[in-house]
Amino acid sequence: MNRNTEVIVIGGGYAGVMAANRLTQRADVTVTLINPRPVFVERIRLHQQIAGTRDAVVDYGKVLAKGVGLVVDTVTRIDADGRAVRLGAGGTLRYDYLVYAVGSGSADPTVPGAAEFAYPITSVEEAERLRPVLDAAPAAAPVTVVGGGPSGIETAAELAERGRTVTLVCGGDLGPTLHPRGRASVAGRLARLGVTVLDGPGTKVAAVTRDAVRLADGRELPSEVTIWTAGFGVPDLALRSGLSTDALGRLLTDETLTSVDDERIVAAGDSAAPSDLPFRMGCQSAVQLGPQAAETVLARLAGTRPAPVSVGFAGTCISLGRRFGIFQVATKDDIAKKQYIGGRLGAKVKEIICWSTVWQLGYEARKPGKHTWWAKDPMRQELLRAKDARTPATAEQAA
Protein backbone atom coordinates (compact mmCIF):
# COMPACT_ATOMS: atom_id res chain seq x y z
CA MET A 1 0.00 0.00 0.00
CA ASN A 2 1.35 3.44 -0.91
CA ARG A 3 2.11 5.68 2.03
CA ASN A 4 0.93 9.27 2.25
CA THR A 5 3.19 12.14 1.22
CA GLU A 6 4.49 13.80 4.39
CA VAL A 7 4.53 17.60 4.33
CA ILE A 8 5.89 19.59 7.27
CA VAL A 9 5.06 23.27 7.67
CA ILE A 10 7.42 25.16 9.99
CA GLY A 11 5.65 28.16 11.50
CA GLY A 12 2.03 28.65 12.49
CA GLY A 13 1.52 32.28 11.54
CA TYR A 14 -0.61 33.67 8.73
CA ALA A 15 1.43 32.11 5.90
CA GLY A 16 2.04 28.79 7.62
CA VAL A 17 -1.61 28.24 8.57
CA MET A 18 -2.76 29.16 5.06
CA ALA A 19 -0.27 26.72 3.54
CA ALA A 20 -1.15 23.89 5.92
CA ASN A 21 -4.88 24.31 5.31
CA ARG A 22 -4.42 24.43 1.54
CA LEU A 23 -2.46 21.19 1.54
CA THR A 24 -5.38 19.24 3.03
CA GLN A 25 -7.06 19.27 -0.39
CA ARG A 26 -5.39 15.92 -1.07
CA ALA A 27 -6.36 12.93 1.04
CA ASP A 28 -3.00 11.30 0.31
CA VAL A 29 -1.04 14.12 1.97
CA THR A 30 -0.29 14.15 5.69
CA VAL A 31 0.27 17.69 6.95
CA THR A 32 2.14 18.50 10.15
CA LEU A 33 2.43 22.06 11.44
CA ILE A 34 5.28 22.79 13.86
CA ASN A 35 4.89 25.91 15.97
CA PRO A 36 6.46 26.98 19.28
CA ARG A 37 3.11 27.80 20.90
CA PRO A 38 -0.31 26.05 20.97
CA VAL A 39 -2.29 29.12 19.89
CA PHE A 40 -2.44 31.32 16.80
CA VAL A 41 -1.18 34.88 17.34
CA GLU A 42 -2.82 37.83 15.60
CA ARG A 43 0.31 39.91 15.28
CA ILE A 44 -1.72 42.81 13.92
CA ARG A 45 -3.35 43.07 17.37
CA LEU A 46 -0.25 42.93 19.58
CA HIS A 47 -0.46 46.67 20.26
CA GLN A 48 -3.91 45.98 21.72
CA GLN A 49 -2.53 43.17 23.85
CA ILE A 50 0.01 45.44 25.55
CA ALA A 51 -2.57 48.19 26.08
CA GLY A 52 -5.07 45.74 27.53
CA THR A 53 -7.79 46.49 24.95
CA ARG A 54 -7.88 42.98 23.42
CA ASP A 55 -6.03 39.66 23.51
CA ALA A 56 -4.07 38.80 20.38
CA VAL A 57 -4.41 35.01 20.54
CA VAL A 58 -6.88 32.72 18.79
CA ASP A 59 -7.42 29.01 19.36
CA TYR A 60 -6.03 26.94 16.49
CA GLY A 61 -9.33 25.11 16.37
CA LYS A 62 -10.82 28.21 14.74
CA VAL A 63 -8.22 28.63 12.00
CA LEU A 64 -6.52 25.27 11.40
CA ALA A 65 -8.00 22.42 9.37
CA LYS A 66 -8.92 19.36 11.41
CA GLY A 67 -6.66 17.19 9.27
CA VAL A 68 -3.51 19.11 10.18
CA GLY A 69 -1.36 17.67 12.97
CA LEU A 70 -0.02 20.30 15.37
CA VAL A 71 3.37 19.77 17.01
CA VAL A 72 4.13 22.38 19.68
CA ASP A 73 7.89 22.66 19.46
CA THR A 74 10.71 24.50 17.73
CA VAL A 75 12.87 23.36 14.84
CA THR A 76 16.57 23.67 15.55
CA ARG A 77 17.88 22.48 12.19
CA ILE A 78 16.71 21.38 8.75
CA ASP A 79 18.56 18.38 7.33
CA ALA A 80 17.81 18.90 3.63
CA ASP A 81 19.85 15.87 2.53
CA GLY A 82 18.08 13.57 4.96
CA ARG A 83 14.71 15.31 4.54
CA ALA A 84 14.23 15.71 8.25
CA VAL A 85 13.92 18.42 10.88
CA ARG A 86 15.40 18.32 14.34
CA LEU A 87 13.12 19.39 17.17
CA GLY A 88 14.05 21.48 20.17
CA ALA A 89 12.57 18.90 22.55
CA GLY A 90 14.61 16.17 20.91
CA GLY A 91 14.02 13.78 18.09
CA THR A 92 13.43 14.33 14.39
CA LEU A 93 10.53 14.37 11.97
CA ARG A 94 10.93 13.31 8.36
CA TYR A 95 9.27 14.94 5.39
CA ASP A 96 8.79 14.57 1.66
CA TYR A 97 8.19 18.32 1.27
CA LEU A 98 8.84 21.19 3.63
CA VAL A 99 7.11 24.57 3.79
CA TYR A 100 9.38 27.14 5.43
CA ALA A 101 7.13 29.78 7.04
CA VAL A 102 9.02 30.81 10.17
CA GLY A 103 7.90 34.44 9.88
CA SER A 104 9.71 37.43 11.33
CA GLY A 105 10.45 38.96 14.69
CA SER A 106 12.40 41.73 16.32
CA ALA A 107 15.68 42.63 14.68
CA ASP A 108 18.56 42.55 17.12
CA PRO A 109 19.07 46.26 17.85
CA THR A 110 22.61 47.55 17.45
CA VAL A 111 21.86 50.74 19.38
CA PRO A 112 23.72 50.70 22.72
CA GLY A 113 21.38 49.75 25.56
CA ALA A 114 18.40 48.88 23.36
CA ALA A 115 18.63 45.13 23.90
CA GLU A 116 18.92 45.60 27.68
CA PHE A 117 16.40 48.37 28.34
CA ALA A 118 13.90 48.52 25.45
CA TYR A 119 10.92 46.22 24.97
CA PRO A 120 10.21 44.76 21.50
CA ILE A 121 6.65 43.66 20.70
CA THR A 122 6.78 41.40 17.64
CA SER A 123 5.64 38.26 19.48
CA VAL A 124 2.98 37.48 22.05
CA GLU A 125 5.70 36.54 24.54
CA GLU A 126 7.27 39.97 24.15
CA ALA A 127 3.87 41.61 24.56
CA GLU A 128 3.18 39.58 27.70
CA ARG A 129 6.58 40.61 29.09
CA LEU A 130 5.81 44.29 28.48
CA ARG A 131 2.22 44.34 29.75
CA PRO A 132 3.00 44.07 33.50
CA VAL A 133 5.81 46.61 33.12
CA LEU A 134 3.32 49.13 31.75
CA ASP A 135 0.75 48.21 34.40
CA ALA A 136 3.31 48.84 37.14
CA ALA A 137 4.39 52.23 35.77
CA PRO A 138 2.56 55.32 37.08
CA ALA A 139 -0.05 56.72 34.69
CA ALA A 140 1.99 59.88 34.15
CA ALA A 141 5.28 58.03 33.57
CA PRO A 142 6.90 58.94 30.24
CA VAL A 143 6.65 56.17 27.65
CA THR A 144 8.80 56.28 24.51
CA VAL A 145 7.91 54.33 21.39
CA VAL A 146 10.81 53.98 18.95
CA GLY A 147 9.89 53.53 15.28
CA GLY A 148 7.67 55.62 13.03
CA GLY A 149 6.18 52.75 10.99
CA PRO A 150 2.70 51.23 11.42
CA SER A 151 3.63 49.25 14.56
CA GLY A 152 5.08 52.29 16.28
CA ILE A 153 2.16 54.51 15.30
CA GLU A 154 -0.44 51.98 16.46
CA THR A 155 1.33 51.36 19.76
CA ALA A 156 1.75 55.07 20.51
CA ALA A 157 -1.91 55.81 19.69
CA GLU A 158 -3.27 52.84 21.65
CA LEU A 159 -1.35 53.77 24.79
CA ALA A 160 -2.09 57.50 24.51
CA GLU A 161 -5.80 56.79 24.19
CA ARG A 162 -5.51 54.87 27.46
CA GLY A 163 -4.12 57.98 29.15
CA ARG A 164 -0.38 57.34 28.84
CA THR A 165 2.17 60.09 28.24
CA VAL A 166 3.74 58.97 24.98
CA THR A 167 6.57 60.19 22.78
CA LEU A 168 6.93 58.63 19.34
CA VAL A 169 10.51 58.75 18.05
CA CYS A 170 10.42 58.12 14.31
CA GLY A 171 14.11 58.06 13.42
CA GLY A 172 13.15 59.73 10.13
CA ASP A 173 9.73 60.32 8.58
CA LEU A 174 6.48 59.55 10.35
CA GLY A 175 4.81 56.73 8.41
CA PRO A 176 7.40 56.68 5.61
CA THR A 177 5.25 54.46 3.36
CA LEU A 178 2.21 56.76 3.61
CA HIS A 179 1.21 59.39 1.08
CA PRO A 180 1.76 62.95 2.44
CA ARG A 181 -2.02 63.39 2.74
CA GLY A 182 -2.36 60.20 4.76
CA ARG A 183 0.68 61.14 6.85
CA ALA A 184 -0.89 64.50 7.71
CA SER A 185 -4.07 62.74 8.84
CA VAL A 186 -2.09 60.40 11.10
CA ALA A 187 -0.06 63.28 12.54
CA GLY A 188 -3.24 65.21 13.31
CA ARG A 189 -4.81 62.32 15.16
CA LEU A 190 -1.65 61.63 17.18
CA ALA A 191 -1.53 65.30 18.16
CA ARG A 192 -5.13 65.17 19.36
CA LEU A 193 -4.28 62.10 21.44
CA GLY A 194 -1.42 64.03 23.04
CA VAL A 195 1.39 62.01 21.46
CA THR A 196 4.64 63.97 21.04
CA VAL A 197 5.99 63.04 17.61
CA LEU A 198 9.70 63.50 16.97
CA ASP A 199 10.52 62.99 13.31
CA GLY A 200 12.99 64.18 10.72
CA PRO A 201 16.79 64.47 10.84
CA GLY A 202 18.45 63.88 14.16
CA THR A 203 15.73 61.64 15.59
CA LYS A 204 17.54 58.35 15.22
CA VAL A 205 18.12 56.78 18.62
CA ALA A 206 21.78 56.82 19.66
CA ALA A 207 21.43 55.06 23.03
CA VAL A 208 18.88 53.68 25.47
CA THR A 209 19.34 53.64 29.23
CA ARG A 210 17.13 52.38 32.03
CA ASP A 211 15.30 55.71 32.26
CA ALA A 212 16.14 57.71 29.13
CA VAL A 213 16.48 57.66 25.34
CA ARG A 214 19.28 59.65 23.72
CA LEU A 215 18.87 60.91 20.16
CA ALA A 216 21.48 61.43 17.47
CA ASP A 217 21.13 65.21 17.73
CA GLY A 218 22.04 65.09 21.43
CA ARG A 219 18.58 65.38 22.97
CA GLU A 220 17.87 63.13 25.92
CA LEU A 221 14.29 62.09 26.61
CA PRO A 222 13.16 60.80 29.99
CA SER A 223 11.61 57.36 29.48
CA GLU A 224 10.38 55.03 32.19
CA VAL A 225 9.27 52.50 29.58
CA THR A 226 10.87 52.30 26.13
CA ILE A 227 9.13 50.23 23.45
CA TRP A 228 11.14 49.21 20.37
CA THR A 229 9.28 48.79 17.07
CA ALA A 230 12.13 49.80 14.73
CA GLY A 231 12.95 47.05 12.27
CA PHE A 232 12.20 43.39 11.77
CA GLY A 233 14.46 40.38 11.51
CA VAL A 234 13.90 36.76 10.58
CA PRO A 235 14.97 33.59 12.41
CA ASP A 236 18.33 32.24 11.30
CA LEU A 237 17.08 28.65 10.90
CA ALA A 238 17.70 28.56 7.13
CA LEU A 239 21.19 30.00 7.51
CA ARG A 240 22.05 27.58 10.33
CA SER A 241 20.81 24.73 8.17
CA GLY A 242 23.16 25.59 5.31
CA LEU A 243 20.46 26.89 2.97
CA SER A 244 20.91 29.96 0.77
CA THR A 245 19.50 33.17 2.22
CA ASP A 246 19.43 36.87 1.45
CA ALA A 247 21.30 39.42 3.57
CA LEU A 248 18.50 39.50 6.16
CA GLY A 249 18.32 35.71 6.44
CA ARG A 250 15.21 35.04 4.35
CA LEU A 251 15.25 31.80 2.37
CA LEU A 252 16.21 32.44 -1.26
CA THR A 253 13.72 30.94 -3.70
CA ASP A 254 12.78 31.13 -7.34
CA GLU A 255 9.48 32.66 -8.49
CA THR A 256 7.58 29.49 -7.55
CA LEU A 257 8.73 29.93 -3.92
CA THR A 258 11.01 26.89 -4.28
CA SER A 259 14.36 27.00 -2.49
CA VAL A 260 17.26 27.59 -4.87
CA ASP A 261 18.99 24.68 -3.11
CA ASP A 262 16.27 22.04 -2.91
CA GLU A 263 13.01 21.62 -4.83
CA ARG A 264 11.54 19.78 -1.83
CA ILE A 265 11.62 23.00 0.22
CA VAL A 266 9.32 25.94 -0.47
CA ALA A 267 8.98 29.17 1.51
CA ALA A 268 6.15 31.53 2.35
CA GLY A 269 5.55 34.72 4.30
CA ASP A 270 8.07 37.08 5.83
CA SER A 271 10.88 34.50 5.69
CA ALA A 272 10.74 34.08 1.89
CA ALA A 273 12.86 35.99 -0.63
CA PRO A 274 11.66 34.99 -4.11
CA SER A 275 14.27 35.95 -6.72
CA ASP A 276 15.97 37.98 -3.97
CA LEU A 277 13.13 40.49 -4.37
CA PRO A 278 11.02 39.88 -1.24
CA PHE A 279 7.61 41.40 -0.67
CA ARG A 280 6.79 43.76 2.18
CA MET A 281 6.53 41.86 5.43
CA GLY A 282 3.04 41.58 6.89
CA CYS A 283 -0.17 39.57 6.93
CA GLN A 284 -1.33 41.08 3.61
CA SER A 285 1.46 39.34 1.72
CA ALA A 286 1.52 36.28 4.03
CA VAL A 287 -2.09 35.24 3.37
CA GLN A 288 -1.30 35.29 -0.36
CA LEU A 289 2.10 33.59 -0.17
CA GLY A 290 0.94 30.76 2.10
CA PRO A 291 -1.58 29.17 -0.29
CA GLN A 292 0.72 29.73 -3.26
CA ALA A 293 3.54 27.86 -1.52
CA ALA A 294 1.12 25.01 -0.92
CA GLU A 295 0.07 25.11 -4.59
CA THR A 296 3.72 24.68 -5.59
CA VAL A 297 3.88 21.48 -3.53
CA LEU A 298 0.53 20.27 -4.88
CA ALA A 299 1.64 20.95 -8.46
CA ARG A 300 4.75 18.84 -8.00
CA LEU A 301 2.69 16.02 -6.54
CA ALA A 302 0.37 16.25 -9.55
CA GLY A 303 3.30 16.28 -11.97
CA THR A 304 2.48 19.76 -13.30
CA ARG A 305 4.56 22.94 -13.47
CA PRO A 306 4.16 25.27 -10.43
CA ALA A 307 2.89 28.75 -11.19
CA PRO A 308 5.05 31.83 -10.48
CA VAL A 309 4.22 33.82 -7.38
CA SER A 310 1.74 36.69 -7.60
CA VAL A 311 1.16 39.13 -4.75
CA GLY A 312 -0.85 42.33 -5.02
CA PHE A 313 -1.34 44.98 -2.37
CA ALA A 314 -4.44 47.06 -1.65
CA GLY A 315 -3.06 49.47 0.92
CA THR A 316 -1.96 49.87 4.52
CA CYS A 317 -4.27 49.85 7.53
CA ILE A 318 -3.24 51.62 10.73
CA SER A 319 -5.36 51.90 13.86
CA LEU A 320 -5.13 55.14 15.82
CA GLY A 321 -6.69 53.97 19.04
CA ARG A 322 -10.08 52.29 19.20
CA ARG A 323 -12.10 55.09 17.59
CA PHE A 324 -9.96 56.32 14.69
CA GLY A 325 -7.83 54.77 11.98
CA ILE A 326 -6.61 55.09 8.43
CA PHE A 327 -6.68 52.91 5.35
CA GLN A 328 -4.00 54.19 2.99
CA VAL A 329 -4.88 53.13 -0.56
CA ALA A 330 -1.94 51.80 -2.59
CA THR A 331 -1.14 50.46 -6.02
CA LYS A 332 -0.82 46.72 -6.50
CA ASP A 333 2.96 47.07 -6.23
CA ASP A 334 2.57 48.77 -2.83
CA ILE A 335 3.03 52.46 -3.67
CA ALA A 336 0.81 54.80 -1.65
CA LYS A 337 -1.81 56.82 -3.52
CA LYS A 338 -3.26 60.13 -2.40
CA GLN A 339 -6.58 58.46 -1.52
CA TYR A 340 -7.19 57.26 2.02
CA ILE A 341 -10.05 56.50 4.39
CA GLY A 342 -9.60 58.13 7.77
CA GLY A 343 -11.39 58.91 11.03
CA ARG A 344 -14.06 56.65 12.47
CA LEU A 345 -14.70 55.00 9.11
CA GLY A 346 -10.97 54.25 8.88
CA ALA A 347 -11.19 52.54 12.29
CA LYS A 348 -14.11 50.41 11.09
CA VAL A 349 -12.24 49.42 7.94
CA LYS A 350 -9.21 48.45 10.00
CA GLU A 351 -11.30 46.32 12.35
CA ILE A 352 -13.07 44.61 9.45
CA ILE A 353 -9.72 43.77 7.89
CA CYS A 354 -8.36 42.39 11.18
CA TRP A 355 -11.48 40.27 11.61
CA SER A 356 -11.55 39.14 7.99
CA THR A 357 -7.92 38.00 8.08
CA VAL A 358 -8.72 35.42 10.75
CA TRP A 359 -11.94 34.57 8.90
CA GLN A 360 -9.91 33.85 5.74
CA LEU A 361 -7.77 31.35 7.65
CA GLY A 362 -10.84 29.59 8.99
CA TYR A 363 -12.51 29.60 5.58
CA GLU A 364 -9.46 27.95 3.99
CA ALA A 365 -9.51 25.40 6.83
CA ARG A 366 -13.13 24.50 6.07
CA LYS A 367 -12.88 24.77 2.29
CA PRO A 368 -9.26 24.24 1.24
CA GLY A 369 -8.47 25.64 -2.18
CA LYS A 370 -11.26 28.23 -2.18
CA HIS A 371 -9.12 31.19 -1.12
CA THR A 372 -8.03 32.85 -4.36
CA TRP A 373 -7.48 36.51 -3.49
CA TRP A 374 -4.16 37.53 -4.85
CA ALA A 375 -3.74 40.16 -7.51
CA LYS A 376 -1.42 40.32 -10.47
CA ASP A 377 1.30 42.93 -10.07
CA PRO A 378 2.63 43.88 -13.52
CA MET A 379 5.55 45.76 -11.96
CA ARG A 380 6.94 42.47 -10.61
CA GLN A 381 7.94 41.38 -14.10
CA GLU A 382 9.61 44.72 -14.73
CA LEU A 383 11.62 44.37 -11.52
CA LEU A 384 12.69 40.87 -12.51
CA ARG A 385 13.73 42.01 -15.98
CA ALA A 386 15.71 44.90 -14.51
CA LYS A 387 17.40 42.53 -12.05
CA ASP A 388 18.28 40.08 -14.83
CA ALA A 389 19.69 42.92 -16.93
CA ARG A 390 21.97 43.98 -14.08
CA THR A 391 23.24 40.49 -13.26
CA PRO A 392 25.54 39.93 -16.29
CA ALA A 393 27.14 43.35 -15.87
CA THR A 394 27.75 42.65 -12.22
CA ALA A 395 29.32 39.31 -13.06
CA GLU A 396 31.59 40.92 -15.68
CA GLN A 397 32.69 43.56 -13.21
CA ALA A 398 33.44 40.91 -10.61
CA ALA A 399 35.53 39.02 -13.13
Side-chain angles (χ1 to χ4, degrees):
M1 190 170 80
N2 293 333
R3 69 176 181 85
N4 274 12
T5 299
E6 300 284 343
V7 182
I8 288 178
V9 180
I10 307 177
Y14 297 99
V17 169
M18 270 294 194
N21 289 343
R22 190 75 159 207
L23 287 162
T24 62
Q25 288 180 88
R26 289 186 58 136
D28 60 348
V29 173
T30 299
V31 186
T32 301
L33 179 72
I34 305 174
N35 194 60
R37 60 188 69 85
V39 292
F40 175 79
V41 177
E42 289 187 84
R43 283 186 58 177
I44 53 180
R45 291 195 187 275
L46 285 175
H47 60 287
Q48 292 183 256
Q49 175 108 12
I50 67 166
T53 55
R54 180 170 176 145
D55 287 339
V57 296
V58 176
D59 189 278
Y60 268 124
K62 295 182 178 180
V63 297
L64 195 61
K66 288 182 171 58
V68 176
L70 176 63
V71 174
V72 181
D73 206 337
T74 58
V75 174
T76 60
R77 187 174 179 83
I78 300 166
D79 177 5
D81 292 335
R83 293 185 195 163
V85 296
R86 299 179 191 171
L87 301 178
T92 61
L93 290 178
R94 299 195 176 277
Y95 65 83
D96 295 300
Y97 287 92
L98 178 73
V99 179
Y100 186 82
V102 297
S104 62
S106 301
D108 290 333
T110 57
V111 174
E116 294 84 0
F117 303 114
Y119 293 85
I121 53 167
T122 57
S123 70
V124 69
E125 291 82 9
E126 290 171 344
E128 289 173 345
R129 173 174 167 248
L130 173 58
R131 177 75 181 276
V133 174
L134 281 168
D135 289 345
V143 176
T144 302
V145 178
V146 179
S151 295
I153 293 169
E154 290 189 323
T155 301
E158 199 79 22
L159 294 175
E161 192 176 69
R162 304 289 289 175
R164 290 289 180 180
T165 302
V166 182
T167 298
L168 177 62
V169 177
C170 297
D173 292 335
L174 171 69
T177 61
L178 299 175
H179 187 276
R181 293 180 72 237
R183 186 176 301 121
S185 176
V186 169
R189 178 57 184 167
L190 290 174
R192 288 190 291 277
L193 286 170
V195 177
T196 300
V197 176
L198 302 180
D199 60 350
T203 62
K204 288 188 178 297
V205 174
V208 179
T209 65
R210 190 178 302 277
D211 54 10
V213 172
R214 190 179 312 121
L215 304 185
D217 62 10
R219 282 179 287 178
E220 188 162 302
L221 314 174
S223 181
E224 184 151 334
V225 182
T226 300
I227 302 172
W228 196 270
T229 70
F232 289 93
V234 298
D236 64 351
L237 175 60
L239 186 64
R240 284 188 284 111
S241 301
L243 298 170
S244 298
T245 67
D246 69 359
L248 193 64
R250 291 170 286 213
L251 185 70
L252 283 176
T253 76
D254 64 15
E255 283 294 284
T256 70
L257 300 174
T258 303
S259 165
V260 297
D261 303 309
D262 189 335
E263 72 169 13
R264 297 281 182 150
I265 300 175
V266 299
D270 292 354
S271 55
S275 302
D276 206 9
L277 292 170
F279 299 97
R280 170 164 61 93
M281 292 181 177
C283 69
Q284 190 172 177
S285 55
V287 296
Q288 298 177 72
L289 289 166
Q292 292 182 75
E295 288 294 342
T296 290
V297 174
L298 294 171
R300 290 214 163 88
L301 292 177
T304 59
R305 178 175 296 183
V309 67
S310 178
V311 171
F313 291 87
T316 300
C317 264
I318 302 175
S319 66
L320 298 164
R322 293 299 86 215
R323 296 186 294 275
F324 287 79
I326 182 173
F327 176 74
Q328 171 68 74
V329 181
T331 59
K332 289 179 181 178
D333 60 330
D334 204 25
I335 304 299
K337 297 182 177 182
K338 66 179 182 179
Q339 295 87 3
Y340 71 90
I341 301 170
R344 293 181 184 275
L345 181 56
K348 289 181 180 179
V349 171
K350 165 73 175 182
E351 183 57 33
I352 289 171
I353 289 174
C354 288
W355 171 85
S356 67
T357 302
V358 173
W359 178 87
Q360 287 177 63
L361 300 177
Y363 183 71
E364 184 70 24
R366 297 186 302 274
K367 299 180 180 295
K370 296 297 185 181
H371 177 84
T372 57
W373 187 87
W374 51 79
K376 296 290 183 182
D377 170 18
M379 292 301 297
R380 178 78 180 174
Q381 293 305 311
E382 292 189 23
L383 289 172
L384 290 169
R385 283 193 292 269
K387 180 176 181 291
D388 289 343
R390 290 193 303 269
T391 301
T394 304
E396 290 171 7
Q397 291 169 3

